[in-house]
Amino acid sequence: MPAEDDRTVTGPTARDAISAPDAEGRPRRVTRRFPLFTRDTARPEGGGRAARGDAPAPARQWPMLVVLSAVALGLLLTALDVFRYGTLLIGAALLAGAALRWTLPSVGMLAVRSRFTDIVTYGVLGLAIVLLAMTVQPNPWLTIPFLKGVLHFTLTN
């Protein structure tokens, strides 16, 4: 039986700051920084397949494909000079992405960050695009009363 001092360390050595060993003799990290070398990354919550594993790849990623298809159609409409409807479709696709992220437990590659961050990001960007599409000139569908004053104030000063 080897003595306690004859232990050899196998594997990579820690290159970040460490402190006194814990109760089991392993060094503890004193910093919250990531180590210099990571072995893997954590998948976002809900980042699993949206369909069973033996389904074809498009079926496993259907939430992402729905959102991307709607955005692509919106960009096509915008390119064909149907600007207002195209941008409305893009904003609606992002809002649909937020709704899918909120309601479905697994959305595949639509999950990028945490569930809360994804919902807020998709929702705020989708709402902003929809509001901008509704206020575009000429003949805006939505008139924001204070917007003209703010625009006048920022351009004249």
Side-chain angles (χ1 to χ4, degrees), residues 44-50 100-108 111 115:
E45 166 193 346
R49 295 181 178 117
L100 286 171
R101 187 70 172 101
W102 187 8
T103 57
L104 297 177
S106 294
V107 290
R115 184 178 302 269

Side-chain angles (χ1 to χ4, degrees), residues 114-129:
S114 71
R115 184 178 302 269
F116 175 78
T117 305
D118 284 342
I119 291 170
V120 169
T121 303
Y122 294 144
V124 168
L125 288 175
L127 186 64
I129 291 172

Side-chain angles (χ1 to χ4, degrees), residues 27-104:
R28 292 181 308 173
R29 296 181 60 207
V30 294
T31 179
R32 291 181 52 116
R33 288 184 175 176
F34 289 106
L36 291 177
F37 299 101
T38 56
R39 298 187 182 213
D40 61 353
T41 56
R43 287 184 9 196
E45 166 193 346
R49 295 181 178 117
R52 61 187 194 283
D54 60 344
R60 291 192 308 260
Q61 297 298 331
W62 71 265
M64 183 67 160
L65 290 176
V66 167
V67 173
L68 283 179
S69 299
V71 168
L73 182 60
L75 289 173
L76 179 66
L77 288 174
T78 303
L80 295 175
D81 208 22
V82 190
F83 178 77
R84 190 181 312 252
Y85 292 109
T87 53
L88 278 173
L89 185 59
I90 293 170
L94 288 174
L95 290 173
L100 286 171
R101 187 70 172 101
W102 187 8
T103 57
L104 297 177

